[in-house]
Amino acid sequence: MQNGMDRLREALRKAACVSVLTGAGISAESGVPTFRGADGLWENYNVMELATPEAFENDPELVWRFYNWRRSLISRLTFNAAHKALAELETRIPRFTLITQNVDGLHAKAGSRNILEIHGNLWKVRCVECSMIVLDHSPDMGHLPRCSRCGGFLRPHVVWFGESLDPDILQKSLDASRSCEVMITIGTSAIVQPAASLAMEARRSGALTAEINLERTGHSEFMDLVLLGKAGETVPGLLEGWS
Ligand code: BV8
Ligand code: ZN
């Protein structure tokens, strides 16, 4: 009986179209705190209460303290072997789409190209007045950064809870989930919607679905393959013996 890793390796070598959905777990070994792990709290705030438009409305300085804390932390971190292996995998698959829930920018740093950042990007800020988007890698944006064009407040260009995803990016993610032969989810608790529904879309469209995670999730029972282990070890293993 072939084990899960062998079945997934074989499917990847034959596939013309592969989609991958990543979550906070793929960045955990880089030192980026996950949302629901023990380190999911910041200064005894619940992240879920800070990553909302209401929190920004009520106390923009507190929300900026939270995001500046994440920016300065992540600015000192780098991608890990799992990010690197996905960038390598992309070069070997004719049509490869990386859909990420993460806003840390580590996939691009590792060399991935076709990335759909469905929850935005921590290194982009957006003006609440004129909607200008600026890429800014400064670790700390200050307590109430302003737009250089119109003086409006700047906010992190990320999708907060209760906000809709960019419709174009969401459509591309759905298309990539429905058209792939293999869909792999890596390091996601499969709780946040609509991201979590993408793997089910792939399954409904007949793709081979695989989950890579430290532990089983609410999706495990629906996946064809469940590979339990650290992303930093399991994902590079997909390339083994594939010259
Ligand atoms: C929307 C950006 C329409 C911000 C993020 C009730 C039921 C169902 C849905 C809802 C509901 N009420 C509200 C909703 C919708 C809500 C939602 O899904 N809520 C959840 C909590 C139930 N969704 C939304 O609001 C979305 N918008 O639906 O729009 C709409 C419009 C108006 C009103 C209603 C609806 C927007 C969601 C986007 C939120 N923004 N990020 C920021 O980052 O600051 S989500 C945030 O959580 C991150 O992006 C993160 O990636 C994401 C999901 O978490 P995971 O990535 O899965 O990470 P997590 O910590 O949970 O799990 C880590 C996993 O890794 C674990 O399984 C662990 O075992 C594993 N792991 C750890 N280490 C490793 C590992 N695996 C392998 N190796 C390791 N080393
Ligand atoms: Zn502006």
Side-chain angles (χ1 to χ4, degrees):
M1 168 69 174
Q2 250 189 338
N3 73 15
M5 178 65 99
D6 290 343
R7 270 193 66 192
L8 186 50
R9 279 193 193 116
E10 190 179 317
L12 288 172
R13 286 179 207 171
K14 291 179 186 157
C17 183
V18 171
S19 294
V20 174
L21 171 70
T22 61
I26 199 169
S27 295
E29 290 159 82
S30 292
V32 181
T34 63
F35 274 70
R36 285 161 195 85
D39 52 4
L41 295 179
W42 171 73
E43 287 193 3
N44 66 36
Y45 285 98
N46 180 331
V47 171
M48 307 290 281
E49 290 153 12
L50 289 163
T52 66
E54 293 77 21
F56 189 72
E57 186 74 28
N58 297 335
D59 191 344
E61 294 192 34
L62 172 68
V63 173
W64 264 115
R65 272 200 313 114
F66 169 55
Y67 280 90
N68 282 327
W69 170 75
R70 284 172 75 191
R71 290 168 70 102
S72 51
L73 170 69
I74 295 170
S75 65
R76 297 191 297 275
L77 304 176
T78 189
F79 56 83
N80 63 53
H83 296 106
K84 195 77 194 127
L86 286 183
E88 175 59 33
L89 188 61
E90 179 174 9
T91 68
R92 302 186 186 192
I93 308 272
R95 286 199 315 282
F96 184 95
T97 306
L98 175 54
I99 306 162
T100 188
Q101 299 174 83
N102 300 340
V103 297
D104 55 34
L106 294 182
H107 283 302
K109 266 179 132 177
S112 286
R113 308 285 294 273
N114 188 22
I115 308 172
L116 295 172
E117 294 183 317
I118 57 172
H119 292 162
N121 185 310
L122 204 57
W123 305 112
K124 290 179 182 169
V125 289
R126 183 173 82 236
C127 174
V128 298
E129 301 301 332
C130 70
S131 300
M132 180 173 78
I133 295 174
V134 176
L135 188 61
D136 182 318
H137 282 94
S138 45
D140 189 321
M141 293 291 292
H143 65 294
L144 273 182
R146 294 276 188 163
C147 172
S148 57
R149 186 161 76 179
C150 77
F153 283 126
L154 292 175
R155 58 161 279 178
H157 183 57
V158 299
V159 180
W160 281 329
F161 288 98
E163 293 187 319
S164 300
L165 278 63
D166 175 303
D168 177 49
I169 294 175
L170 181 55
Q171 189 55 56
K172 283 187 177 127
S173 305
L174 284 166
D175 295 346
S177 304
R178 290 169 179 156
S179 60
C180 64
E181 298 155 71
V182 180
M183 169 68 135
I184 310 173
T185 67
I186 306 171
T188 181
S189 58
I191 292 168
V192 171
Q193 296 295 353
S197 62
L198 295 172
M200 295 301 108
E201 285 296 327
R203 172 183 154 76
R204 261 194 288 279
S205 307
L208 175 77
T209 54
E211 178 181 62
I212 295 175
N213 199 309
L214 282 184
E215 59 193 16
R216 294 180 70 81
T217 70
H219 271 194
S220 301
E221 61 180 299
F222 305 109
M223 307 298 271
D224 296 308
L225 303 171
V226 175
L227 281 62
L228 295 179
K230 286 185 170 183
E233 293 159 11
T234 311
V235 183
L238 298 176
L239 297 168
E240 255 166 47
W242 185 357
S243 53

